[in-house]
């Protein structure tokens, strides 16, 4: 029989630091619990124990603290983000019927040692899951240790037996205490012998067998005089450390392995906890669907709709759920109905004239088209509403929304259950939007934009295949030339794409100074190469090689694969992804077409209009700075924009103390970096790195900037303070972003959150404005020039295809709509150009 005992504090600590932070929409951190459960599941699967329990430390001093004041004195307090998860973690374990053992005045290690000792006495095998090597001293023929190492995105676990321990250390597990007595332990502040490190301590133990053996042979000629002095001076600390490092398997707990025999979960309690934690996927994994029937439902009014065999023509509003398998569910005020994939194909369906409630309406429009179901309007999108309410979630499946907002359980893919859920979700989500003052954002921007994006995705944009192929061939030749040049500098052929081989060549064979080393070897990332580019001609060649291969694989070859039979590429706009509200683009990503290098910009020449047409490209000028001027109510910056002043030159004049007309191109570039850096909460260190000046200079630039634009300084302070009080920040259109990390005890995490609080209202408002502009441009083109079509949005840029003869009026229309879409304290400007390619129109 086998018992698995988890070192609770150790495992949850490793989960906390090894899993990306997650929070519920109420701001409760959950990632340590999630990571703990993953580790528990893995240990259970690998060890297959008959019994499971967990040991935790209790707050307060132990007998070790009483013996030595300095014990664990250098330990920081538990981060608040972890502390809030501890009681919930224990509730989850109790709901799983996993016993918890803890003992006041004793550490979890002592509790674990006691459990292991009792298991041995009763003939049970005991496996200890921990991230703490202290427990290795407990290993014997019955007790083994599973050492858990958790890093972001990767958890490893190694089983230590007596044999494995001896292989690694060279002595028996119990002697780990003697090792710590000599070398100490900085994590627990165990002193050891000053000046004796792990290697020396290990050598002494291998030679003399134990701490007592070392001190019995201090006169051994093999011990160097200086080491002998250290050992003599540190003897008292060595024996104190031995005492502190010894796990005492005699904690006063009541334990029997039979008490920890694996039991069925308390499904109702566990389901309620997973609801609270928003662990929707774990509800499925743990088989808890239906467990809500075993617990009290939240007070949410539900319509339990009868299942019927058809939907009356008279129905004016209905929810439509499109299941992945092709089945379709319909729900309305008096019934729910579903069709199998075969029935959908056999019976034409029309939803024209009906107000539709959909889930991810943009995608649903394409799905409806492919199923041959006609439709004309959506009045509510449940996924979109959930995204607006909390844009930091990773996804918005119906199952998750049903748990979070209705307190019910439904399987994603269940056409009937999900259709009924969508019908019931609408009033709840509408009430949440109203409570958060998001009705305008949702009804006037987000929902109508879905139709615009759907149309843009259907239209696509032409790509000149032959030009793209020629471009790819040219890149292939330049890549080959680059390889030849690199090999000539290295005097050997090697895999240029291998970080290991490249690192060995640069830093060992060629003797360049290593800038950064990782656990796997030398770093050769772009920052490293940038610092070395003037030290050897091979570096620029490698940088060119990387740039060329990226262009070829991602754009030349990648775009060709995406060209459809109509000669166009049809990107997918992601409108439920970014926390700021900005759109992103995938398959292919047309928002990441390179423009900073001449060669990269050539890619834009491949995007062309259909015959007889041109592309019109309109781009907002410095929209985020204009939004900053408005939101910060900075009179100086506003005046610059109203007067049409070059704001970067004006900033340079202030920062460098020169007249505007004397500003050099370099000074303007530096001022531009400061202007845009401020928007993103840049630090003096980052600015110094970006523009190649000292940190002192960078600080001077930032201080001078904030002295000149005092409204921005006030804004930067007030927006962060506001966000800390409310727990979120928002745009001018009331788009919220929750930032629980603002209260983090970790300085780096908190500083990053403050930058987010500073930037989100600016970047988010700019995103809202460009979305409004897309809606306005689409409507105006439809009304005045229906032959012209909006094709792409790339950050602050809109691209329209129109007949050549309409180039001028369409350009004027697009500029006008973009410039008048929002009323700010400064003018919005959007210059439109036209041409026979995206490159020419830019």
């Amino acid at each position: 029989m086998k018992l698995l005992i988890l070192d609770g504090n150790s495992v949850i600590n490793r989960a906390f630091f090894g899993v990306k932070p997650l929070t519920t929409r109420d701001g409760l951190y959950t990632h340590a619990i999630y990571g703990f459960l993953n580790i528990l599941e893995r240990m259970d699967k690998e060890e297959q124990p008959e019994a499971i329990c967990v040991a935790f430390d209790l707050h307060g001093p132990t007998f070790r603290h009483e013996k030595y004041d300095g014990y664990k004195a250098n330990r920081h307090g538990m981060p608040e983000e972890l502390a809030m998860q501890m009681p919930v973690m224990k509730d989850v374990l109790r709901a799983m019927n996993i016993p918890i053992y803890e003992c006041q005045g004793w550490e979890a290690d002592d509790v674990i040692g006691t459990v292991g000792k009792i298991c041995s006495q009763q003939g049970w095998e005991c496996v200890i899951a921990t991230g703490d090597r202290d427990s290795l001293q407990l290993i014997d023929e019955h007790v083994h240790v599973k050492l858990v190492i958790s890093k972001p995105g990767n958890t490893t676990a190694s089983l230590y037996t007596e044999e494995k321990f001896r292989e690694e250390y060279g002595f028996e597990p119990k002697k780990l205490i003697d090792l710590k007595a000599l070398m100490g332990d900085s994590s627990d502040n165990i002193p050891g012998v000053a000046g004796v490190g792990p290697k020396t301590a290990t050598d002494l133990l291998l030679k003399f067998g134990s701490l007592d053996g070392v001190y019995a042979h201090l006169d051994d000629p093999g011990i160097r005089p200086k080491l002998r002095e250290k050992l003599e001076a540190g003897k008292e600390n060595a024996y104190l450390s031995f005492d502190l490092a010894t796990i005492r398997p005699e904690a006063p707990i009541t334990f029997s392995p039979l008490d920890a025999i694996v039991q069925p979960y308390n499904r109702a309690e566990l389901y309620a906890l997973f609801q609270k934690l928003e662990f929707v996927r774990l509800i499925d994994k743990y088989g808890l669907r239906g467990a809500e029937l075993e617990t009290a439902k939240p007070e949410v009014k539900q319509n339990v709709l009868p299942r019927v065999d058809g939907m009356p023509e008279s129905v004016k509003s209905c929810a439509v759920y499109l299941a992945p398998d092709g089945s379709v569910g319909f729900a309305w005020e008096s019934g729910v109905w579903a069709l199998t994939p075969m029935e959908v194909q056999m019976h034409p369906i029309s939803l024209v004239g009906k107000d539709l409630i959909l889930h991810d309406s943009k995608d649903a429009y394409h799905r409806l088209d492919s199923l041959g179901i006609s439709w004309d309007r959506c009045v509510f999108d449940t996924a979109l509403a959930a995204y607006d309410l909390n844009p930091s979630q990773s996804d918005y499946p119906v199952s998750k929304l049903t748990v979070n907002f209705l307190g019910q359980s439904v399987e994603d893919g269940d056409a009937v259950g999900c259709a009924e859920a969508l019908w019931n979700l609408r009033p709840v989500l509408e009430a949440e939007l109203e409570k958060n003052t998001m009705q305008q954002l949702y009804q006037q921007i987000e929902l109508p934009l879905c139709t615009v994006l759907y149309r843009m995705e259907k239209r696509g944009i032409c790509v000149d295949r032959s030009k793209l192929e020629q471009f790819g061939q040219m890149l292939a030749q330049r890549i080959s030339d680059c390889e030849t040049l690199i090999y000539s500098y290295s005097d050997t052929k090697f895999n240029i794409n291998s970080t290991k081989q490249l690192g060995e060549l640069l830093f060992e064979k060629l003797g360049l100074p290593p800038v950064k080393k990782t656990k796997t070897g030398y770093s050769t990332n772009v920052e490293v190469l940038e610092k070395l580019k003037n030290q050897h001609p091979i570096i620029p060649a490698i940088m060119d090689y990387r740039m060329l291969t990226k262009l070829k694989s991602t754009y030349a070859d990648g775009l060709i694969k995406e060209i459809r039979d109509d000669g166009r590429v049809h990107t997918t706009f992601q409108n439920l992804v970014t926390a700021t509200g900005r759109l992103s683009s995938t398959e292919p990503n047309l928002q990441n077409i390179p423009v900073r290098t001449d060669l990269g910009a050539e890619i834009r020449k491949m995007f062309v209009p259909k015959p007889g047409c041109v592309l019109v490209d309109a781009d907002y000028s410095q929209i985020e700075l204009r939004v900053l001027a408005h939101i910060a109510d900075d009179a100086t910056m506003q005046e610059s924009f109203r007067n049409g002043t070059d704001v970067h030159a004006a900033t340079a004049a202030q920062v460098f103390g020169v007249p505007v007309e004397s500003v050099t191109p370099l000074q303007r570039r530096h001022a531009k970096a400061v202007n845009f850096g401020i928007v993103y909460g840049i630090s003096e260190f980052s600015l110094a790195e970006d523009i190649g000046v000292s940190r002192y200079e960078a600080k001077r630039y930032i201080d001078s900037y904030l002295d000149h634009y005092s409204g921005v300084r006030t804004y930067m302070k007030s927006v962060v303070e506001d966000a800390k009080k409310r727990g979120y920040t928002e745009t001018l259109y009331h788009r919220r972003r929750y930032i629980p990390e603002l209260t983090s005890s970790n300085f780096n995490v908190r500083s990053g959150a403050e930058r987010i609080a500073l930037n989100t209202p600016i970047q988010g408002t700019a995103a809202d404005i460009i979305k409004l502009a897309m809606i306005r441009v689409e409507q105006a083109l439809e009304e005045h020039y229906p032959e012209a079509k909006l094709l792409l949005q790339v950050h602050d840029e809109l691209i329209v295809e129109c007949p050549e003869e309409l180039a001028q009026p369409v350009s004027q229309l697009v500029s006008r709509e973009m410039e008048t879409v929002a009323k700010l304290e400064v003018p919005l400007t959007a210059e439109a150009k036209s041409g026979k390619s995206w490159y020419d129109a830019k």
Side-chain angles (χ1 to χ4, degrees):
M1 299 282 277
K2 183 192 291 185
L3 176 134
L4 170 69
I5 181 166
L6 280 78
D7 182 347
N9 289 75
S10 171
V11 171
I12 202 167
N13 260 287
R14 274 145 186 82
F16 177 77
F17 291 107
V19 177
K20 180 182 174 185
L22 299 168
T23 63
T24 65
R25 53 197 183 100
D26 295 330
L28 171 67
Y29 280 88
T30 61
H31 56 296
I33 301 171
Y34 186 82
F36 187 104
L37 290 172
N38 282 340
I39 292 170
L40 171 58
E41 180 192 16
R42 176 173 174 175
M43 298 299 102
D44 186 26
K45 190 177 292 182
E46 291 179 2
E47 295 301 320
Q48 299 186 357
E50 283 78 21
I52 300 175
C53 61
V54 182
F56 282 103
D57 287 316
L58 285 175
H59 186 66
T62 67
F63 61 85
R64 293 182 179 86
H65 294 91
E66 292 167 6
K67 184 165 289 192
Y68 176 51
D69 287 343
Y71 184 63
K72 293 191 176 180
N74 56 357
R75 289 272 181 102
H76 296 294
M78 185 181 290
E80 177 58 32
E81 303 92 321
L82 175 55
M84 68 170 66
Q85 298 182 65
M86 290 297 284
V88 187
M89 180 73 252
K90 292 179 182 180
D91 287 342
V92 169
L93 290 170
R94 292 184 190 102
M96 295 172 74
N97 282 317
I98 294 175
I100 294 170
Y101 293 96
E102 44 199 7
C103 188
Q104 196 67 57
W106 296 71
E107 293 186 49
D109 284 349
D110 303 309
V111 173
I112 291 168
T114 306
V115 167
K117 181 180 177 182
I118 294 171
C119 283
S120 294
Q121 290 169 346
Q122 298 188 17
W124 278 63
E125 181 184 346
C126 177
V127 176
I128 301 164
T130 181
D132 189 347
R133 286 182 174 265
D134 288 352
S135 293
L136 295 176
Q137 64 180 270
L138 299 171
I139 295 171
D140 61 24
E141 60 177 320
H142 293 288
V143 177
H144 301 151
V145 171
K146 196 96 172 190
L147 200 61
V148 179
I149 307 297
S150 191
K151 297 176 183 175
N154 182 38
T155 297
T156 59
S158 303
L159 184 67
Y160 277 77
T161 59
E162 286 183 289
E163 184 182 7
K164 180 174 171 62
F165 184 91
R166 281 183 181 278
E167 281 177 18
E168 186 168 317
Y169 285 86
F171 45 77
E172 63 178 307
K174 201 74 179 168
K175 298 301 181 188
L176 183 66
I177 307 169
D178 302 69
L179 182 69
K180 287 211 169 194
L182 289 165
M183 62 180 264
D185 183 346
S186 59
S187 67
D188 288 341
N189 205 33
I190 293 176
V193 175
V196 173
K199 185 177 186 310
T200 302
T202 301
D203 290 344
L204 287 168
L205 279 181
L206 290 174
K207 186 168 185 179
F208 300 112
S210 67
L211 181 66
D212 288 340
V214 170
Y215 278 100
H217 295 86
L218 280 183
D219 56 352
D220 188 287
I223 297 179
R224 300 184 312 276
K226 282 191 177 178
L227 176 57
R228 186 178 295 112
E229 285 176 23
K230 291 175 183 176
L231 289 167
E232 287 171 342
K235 184 173 181 179
E236 186 178 341
N237 271 348
Y239 279 94
L240 170 65
S241 299
F242 184 94
D243 204 27
L244 294 173
T246 302
I247 293 175
R248 314 279 183 197
E250 52 212 35
I253 60 170
T254 304
F255 169 78
S256 166
L258 295 174
D259 296 337
I261 291 287
V262 173
Q263 302 289 330
Y265 306 143
N266 183 324
R267 287 166 44 80
E269 282 185 24
L270 192 58
Y271 175 81
L273 284 163
F274 282 1
Q275 268 190 303
K276 174 183 176 180
L277 295 165
E278 299 177 8
F279 288 169
V280 174
R281 288 197 175 90
L282 293 191
I283 287 174
D284 287 327
K285 183 184 275 190
Y286 282 64
L288 300 175
R289 292 290 172 195
E292 77 273 13
L293 301 175
E294 302 159 31
T295 187
K297 292 185 176 68
E299 292 182 22
V300 178
K301 250 192 164 179
Q302 302 297 318
N303 290 319
V304 180
L305 303 173
R307 274 52 174 166
V308 295
D309 293 330
M311 182 169 62
E313 285 290 326
S314 58
V315 167
K316 294 298 180 191
S317 179
C318 65
V320 181
Y321 177 77
L322 304 160
D325 68 355
S327 57
V328 183
F330 305 89
W332 59 100
E333 61 183 356
S334 57
V336 183
W337 172 51
L339 292 173
T340 65
M342 182 71 74
E343 289 169 334
V344 172
Q345 290 178 15
M346 292 174 60
H347 304 294
I349 303 164
S350 174
L351 298 173
V352 173
K354 299 187 190 306
D355 293 338
L356 303 183
I357 301 163
L358 300 171
H359 189 76
D360 188 1
S361 58
K362 179 179 69 68
D363 180 63
Y365 297 152
H366 292 295
R367 297 277 309 283
L368 289 167
D369 289 349
S370 67
L371 292 171
I373 299 175
S374 52
W375 57 279
D376 59 13
R377 65 178 174 270
C378 169
V379 296
F380 199 81
D381 180 334
T382 49
L384 190 67
Y387 165 72
D388 283 347
L389 289 167
N390 190 356
S392 299
Q393 294 289 320
S394 56
D395 57 5
Y396 304 89
V398 177
S399 59
K400 192 173 189 176
L401 271 56
T402 309
V403 167
N404 291 348
F405 293 98
L406 301 178
Q408 292 184 326
S409 169
V410 70
E411 294 271 1
D412 286 313
D414 171 7
V416 168
C418 287
E420 183 176 22
L422 297 189
W423 180 264
N424 288 324
L425 278 166
R426 179 186 180 179
V428 178
L429 292 171
E430 281 182 328
E432 286 291 310
L433 290 168
E434 184 173 358
K435 187 170 81 175
N436 290 358
T437 62
M438 288 182 171
Q439 310 97 307
Q440 181 186 10
L441 171 74
Y442 183 79
Q443 292 293 345
Q444 296 182 21
I445 300 179
E446 297 285 64
L447 193 59
L449 182 71
C450 291
T451 305
V452 177
L453 294 174
Y454 152 75
R455 291 173 180 170
M456 291 165 66
E457 289 175 356
K458 285 193 75 172
R459 291 165 187 159
I461 185 168
C462 284
V463 172
D464 189 323
R465 181 187 288 270
S466 62
K467 274 189 183 176
L468 196 55
E469 287 172 344
Q470 290 168 21
F471 185 64
Q473 290 162 8
M474 180 272 289
L475 289 175
Q477 182 57 54
R478 293 204 34 188
I479 290 167
S480 176
D481 294 342
C482 245
E483 287 175 340
T484 302
L485 185 60
I486 291 167
Y487 295 148
S488 73
Y489 287 132
S490 60
D491 290 331
T492 184
K493 284 195 173 184
F494 66 100
N495 182 356
I496 304 170
N497 296 311
S498 164
T499 300
K500 184 174 184 295
Q501 292 182 34
L502 181 59
E504 288 170 355
L505 171 80
L506 296 179
F507 305 116
E508 293 177 10
K509 184 177 178 182
L510 297 181
L512 292 173
V515 176
K516 182 181 176 186
K517 225 177 172 187
T518 67
K519 288 183 179 177
T520 55
Y522 299 103
S523 172
T524 61
N525 64 20
V526 65
E527 290 85 3
V528 169
L529 295 186
E530 193 66 40
K531 288 177 180 173
L532 296 172
K533 66 182 179 183
N534 296 322
Q535 298 198 31
H536 196 288
I538 197 172
I539 302 297
I542 291 166
M543 294 172 77
D544 283 347
Y545 172 85
R546 286 186 176 177
M547 181 266 293
L548 292 166
T549 52
K550 168 75 174 173
L551 282 174
K552 187 171 189 304
S553 63
T554 305
Y555 301 107
D557 300 342
L559 277 173
I560 283 177
K561 293 174 189 170
E562 298 290 346
I563 300 173
R564 296 192 193 171
D565 293 342
D566 60 1
R568 301 169 83 92
V569 294
H570 298 259
T571 190
T572 297
F573 291 100
Q574 302 289 348
N575 62 327
L576 304 174
V577 173
T578 68
T580 58
R582 294 183 80 172
L583 296 172
S584 60
S585 160
T586 58
E587 297 178 329
N589 181 356
L590 297 185
Q591 297 202 330
N592 205 26
I593 302 295
V595 291
R596 292 187 180 177
T597 63
D598 291 340
L599 201 55
E602 289 284 305
I603 299 284
R604 293 194 174 212
K605 291 182 179 177
M606 315 302 159
F607 291 87
V608 296
K610 64 184 180 183
C613 288
V614 293
L615 295 180
V616 172
D617 185 310
D619 196 349
Y620 275 122
S621 170
Q622 300 165 344
I623 186 171
E624 290 188 356
L625 284 180
R626 292 170 191 269
V627 169
L628 173 63
H630 174 87
I631 290 180
D633 197 22
D634 190 290
T636 307
M637 191 179 286
Q638 288 176 2
E639 186 180 358
S640 293
F641 280 122
R642 288 194 197 108
N643 295 340
T645 307
D646 179 341
V647 73
H648 299 316
T651 299
Q654 173 61 31
V655 167
F656 297 107
V658 297
V660 172
E661 57 274 12
S662 303
V663 169
T664 66
L666 179 63
Q667 287 173 329
R668 187 183 182 277
R669 280 199 300 277
H670 284 186
K672 185 176 180 180
V674 177
N675 272 327
F676 285 114
I678 289 292
V679 172
Y680 288 89
I682 199 167
S683 67
E684 61 198 54
F685 176 80
S686 297
L687 181 63
E689 286 277 301
D690 288 351
I691 62 178
V693 298
S694 68
R695 288 183 66 176
Y696 171 80
E697 278 294 286
K699 183 178 188 307
R700 191 174 69 79
Y701 293 171
I702 292 172
D703 289 344
S704 179
Y705 174 97
L706 294 175
D707 287 342
H708 186 56
Y709 297 120
S710 56
V712 174
R713 184 193 291 276
T714 303
Y715 163 75
M716 290 175 71
K717 185 179 178 187
S718 63
V719 73
V720 172
E721 286 176 352
D722 240 21
K724 283 181 178 176
K725 285 177 194 167
R726 300 192 295 179
Y728 65 87
T729 189
E730 64 181 1
T731 70
L732 288 180
Y733 297 88
H734 301 293
R735 180 188 301 282
R736 287 188 185 182
R737 181 175 182 178
Y738 293 91
I739 317 174
E741 296 86 354
L742 283 168
T743 58
S744 173
S745 56
N746 182 298
F747 174 79
N748 290 333
V749 172
R750 191 170 64 251
S751 298
E754 289 172 357
R755 287 193 291 274
I756 289 171
L758 171 66
N759 171 248
T760 294
I762 302 162
Q763 193 179 90
T765 297
D768 292 340
I769 289 171
I770 192 75
K771 284 179 172 180
L772 268 174
M774 293 169 73
I775 296 165
R776 287 269 294 269
V777 166
E778 176 78 4
Q779 290 170 344
L781 290 175
E782 204 170 8
E783 182 179 350
H784 299 288
Y785 305 107
E787 309 97 317
K789 305 293 181 188
L790 178 61
L791 303 185
L792 287 182
Q793 183 258 34
V794 181
H795 305 310
D796 307 327
E797 178 182 357
L798 297 184
I799 297 149
V800 172
E801 183 179 66
C802 73
E804 281 187 65
E805 63 274 14
L806 294 178
Q808 186 178 356
V810 166
S811 296
Q812 291 171 345
L813 178 146
V814 174
S815 286
R816 183 175 65 250
E817 295 299 332
M818 289 176 71
E819 290 177 350
T820 59
V821 74
K823 187 165 179 56
L824 304 181
E825 291 298 323
V826 296
L828 289 171
T829 61
E831 186 182 1
K833 297 177 183 176
S834 62
K836 278 295 188 178
S837 71
W838 188 0
Y839 181 90
D840 295 333
K842 183 67 179 153

